[in-house]
Amino acid sequence: MLEVKNIYCGYNGVHVVKDVSFKVNRGENICIVGPNGCGKSTLLKSISNLISFEGDVILDGKNIKYLKRKELATKVSLMTQNSNILFPYSIFETVALGRYAHLNGLFSKLSKDDEDIINKSLELVGILNIKDKLISELSGGQLQRVFLARAFAQNPDVILLDEPTNHLDLRYQIEILDYLKLWAKENNKIIVAVLHDLNLVQNFADKVLMLKDGSIVNNGDTKEVLNGEDLEKVYGIDIKAFMVKTLRKWN
């Protein structure tokens, strides 16, 4: 189980996230939703221990605050919206970075099993055929798939995803989220994802955590959270009515 307990965090002494708590069981996923600036990305950074925070994040009984960086990397993977290209690595080399937390030493070589995991991860996101291409030559959508493959190759217990379908066309949005959901259930893993598209959230999420101004507005089963009155209160628009009206135009 992943348990987030009474998290406060932010920047320059100002709390962006305020007293947020939730639980996710293994084999489940949860989507964090809410308007821009409500603290979704900041919350993910605290769960991955990238920024300091008050409160606790417990994974399978262990507090992540006290895990060494390498051990944490075998348990939690974070894919942000702004993954930087620091070096012109090939696609294969970039995805291979996900395996280094599992190696015995800094200069250890990848094993045959490591290479198989990397190639499988590349295949899952549809870029195995271009694995030798430099990442500096890729489109935004291709690059997004590279970083997803790297997260899969890391094989953590928890994958934290900040807008994982950003830059992807509709087909890959659906396929990637379908695979993530299956991956979590079949491998007893946990997905925590920030998504803006509530249609995708309806299809993907087991649970939804809804935030406004850094605080929880609602938290629970997807249908209950997204069908409640809180949706209009948080977004300032009757989203459900808008979705139904749009759907009629397809008929």
Side-chain angles (χ1 to χ4, degrees):
M1 175 188 289
L2 173 68
E3 185 174 6
V4 175
K5 301 171 66 176
N6 308 113
I7 293 295
Y8 290 83
C9 60
Y11 310 98
N12 302 318
V14 178
H15 286 146
V16 177
V17 174
K18 307 155 193 170
D19 196 22
V20 169
S21 300
F22 65 90
K23 296 179 182 179
V24 193
N25 294 316
R26 282 184 172 270
E28 289 184 336
N29 67 77
I30 186 170
C31 279
I32 305 172
V33 303
N36 289 336
C38 70
K40 300 184 297 295
S41 298
T42 302
L43 179 58
L44 288 189
K45 289 176 184 177
S46 68
I47 296 171
S48 61
N49 207 21
L50 284 182
I51 61 173
S52 60
F53 61 91
E54 300 172 28
D56 296 290
V57 177
I58 310 297
L59 177 60
D60 294 337
K62 293 184 177 181
N63 194 320
I64 68 159
K65 285 183 179 179
Y66 307 116
L67 297 180
K68 293 182 178 179
R69 180 56 57 183
K70 184 175 181 181
E71 183 181 2
L72 182 60
T74 65
K75 295 181 178 298
V76 179
S77 175
L78 170 65
M79 194 190 88
T80 67
Q81 297 180 59
N82 301 310
S83 297
N84 295 321
I85 303 175
L86 299 179
F87 301 100
Y89 291 141
S90 70
I91 290 173
F92 184 90
E93 290 169 333
T94 303
V95 176
L97 294 173
R99 294 303 303 159
Y100 287 124
H102 298 274
L103 301 181
N104 292 325
L106 182 62
F107 300 105
S108 300
K109 291 184 178 180
L110 295 170
S111 67
K112 178 64 166 57
D113 286 342
D114 290 321
E115 292 181 358
D116 288 343
I117 290 170
I118 294 164
N119 285 325
K120 177 63 175 176
S121 300
L122 290 165
E123 184 179 11
L124 287 170
V125 299
I127 53 175
L128 180 60
N129 61 318
I130 57 169
K131 67 179 183 179
D132 296 321
K133 196 170 183 177
L134 295 178
I135 60 173
S136 56
E137 301 171 355
L138 302 180
S139 68
Q142 289 174 321
L143 194 59
Q144 193 79 344
R145 283 186 272 161
V146 170
F147 294 132
L148 276 169
R150 185 175 64 186
F152 290 147
Q154 193 172 330
N155 194 31
D157 296 312
V158 180
I159 293 185
L160 308 174
L161 300 168
D162 195 352
E163 283 296 311
T165 57
N166 195 23
H167 301 300
L168 298 179
D169 61 39
L170 184 58
R171 171 195 165 192
Y172 276 111
Q173 289 180 37
I174 295 168
E175 287 184 356
I176 289 296
L177 290 177
D178 282 348
Y179 175 73
L180 281 166
K181 189 167 187 173
L182 185 64
W183 178 84
K185 293 189 182 305
E186 289 188 343
N187 297 284
N188 213 26
K189 306 284 191 177
I190 294 169
I191 304 287
V192 181
V194 168
L195 288 175
H196 279 295
D197 189 329
L198 297 181
N199 285 312
L200 293 176
V201 173
Q202 280 277 24
N203 287 317
F204 172 67
D206 296 312
K207 297 178 178 178
V208 170
L209 176 73
M210 186 180 293
L211 299 179
K212 183 180 181 181
D213 298 327
S215 299
I216 294 178
V217 175
N218 206 336
N219 176 30
D221 177 77
T222 299
K223 289 185 178 180
E224 291 179 4
V225 174
L226 294 188
N227 286 335
E229 296 178 358
D230 292 323
L231 199 62
E232 184 173 356
K233 181 171 65 177
V234 167
Y235 287 94
I237 183 176
D238 190 341
I239 291 180
K240 186 175 180 181
F242 173 78
M243 296 288 191
V244 171
K245 180 181 177 182
T246 302
L247 184 60
R248 290 197 187 106
K249 292 185 178 182
W250 287 95
N251 295 330

